[in-house]
Amino acid sequence: MTLYLRSRRVRAATAVMCVLALGSVLLGGRFISFGPESAPVTMPYRYVLVMLSAATAVGSVASPVPGVDRSDVGPLRNARWVHLGAVLALVLTLSGMAELWTASGSPVAMVRAGIVWFGTALVSRAVAGESLAWVLPTMSLLPILRWGSADGGPAPWNWAAAAAWEPVAWWVAAACLSAGLTLTVMRGDAFRAGYRRGGTTSSSHRVTRAR
């Protein structure tokens, strides 16, 4: 596990996530505006910072030698799952603590938002690779900006702003995390299957040449 951690950017990612959490505390309830001045659309800075924290956490799984990870079915695969679980716990802890410290919203709702953005980052990673884990979480800000409010309050599905125990928002969080974990497993299985087929083909060629 020590060798695994040394080969990742775990320390750097942890430092970045701590800085982002500190930014959430310092910025508190301040808002960032989008669109024209006549009809701006606003969003709390802390939403963006929690999203970036989740994307950073998932991106920290990137390996300097991806081929080695893809071919492994033992300790490295287990270490990756421990890594993902640890950074998820860190994201949720930092998000909840920052929200509790600023008293600008619900810590439970921000933990739920962290789950959603971690799950979407896993989906983005599975589809496009670790370096692009931020793409889908960033795109997920759009529906919050455009359709996140209803009848003068947050929409029930709005994972970042809905009431702490709003069931619809929690279903969204569960769906995003489940999708991310499922695609992560499928991606790993596909890579390992491809590696085994490649290894079998190479072995067959060597046997044929020997004959």
Side-chain angles (χ1 to χ4, degrees):
M1 190 67 182
T2 301
L3 181 60
Y4 172 88
L5 292 175
R6 287 178 179 175
S7 68
R8 268 62 177 181
R9 304 181 185 91
V10 177
R11 292 181 181 178
T14 300
V16 169
M17 286 186 280
C18 289
V19 169
L20 291 171
L22 179 61
S24 294
V25 172
L26 295 177
L27 292 172
R30 296 183 183 179
F31 287 76
I32 181 173
S33 297
F34 300 91
E37 294 184 1
S38 58
V41 179
T42 61
M43 171 182 290
Y45 274 103
R46 63 186 188 279
Y47 290 6
V48 179
L49 297 177
V50 172
M51 180 274 293
L52 291 174
S53 181
T56 299
V58 172
S60 70
V61 182
S63 168
V65 188
V68 174
D69 278 4
R70 294 170 184 174
S71 65
D72 186 79
V73 295
L76 279 179
R77 182 178 60 173
N78 296 335
R80 282 196 301 278
W81 282 109
V82 172
H83 182 166
L84 284 172
V87 292
L88 172 59
L90 182 60
V91 168
L92 302 186
T93 299
L94 291 174
S95 302
M97 290 180 63
E99 196 75 359
L100 183 64
W101 184 271
T102 59
S104 56
S106 168
V108 175
M110 199 49 58
V111 166
R112 181 181 61 212
I115 293 173
V116 170
W117 282 315
F118 191 88
T120 54
L122 286 177
V123 172
S124 193
R125 169 185 176 266
V127 174
E130 284 84 354
S131 63
L132 297 176
W134 55 272
V135 172
L136 192 55
T138 302
M139 293 175 62
S140 73
L141 295 174
L142 178 60
I144 293 179
L145 283 168
R146 182 64 181 85
W147 303 287
S149 298
D151 299 325
W157 56 264
N158 188 334
W159 56 85
W165 303 110
E166 169 58 54
V168 177
W170 278 104
W171 277 112
V172 172
C176 289
L177 185 59
S178 298
L181 294 175
T182 300
L183 286 175
T184 298
V185 172
M186 293 174 62
R187 180 180 188 244
D189 289 344
F191 282 144
R192 285 190 292 276
Y195 178 84
R196 292 193 186 105
R197 287 196 298 270
T200 302
T201 302
S202 298
S203 299
S204 301
H205 286 329
R206 286 195 294 269
V207 171
T208 302
R209 290 175 181 173
R211 289 177 179 175

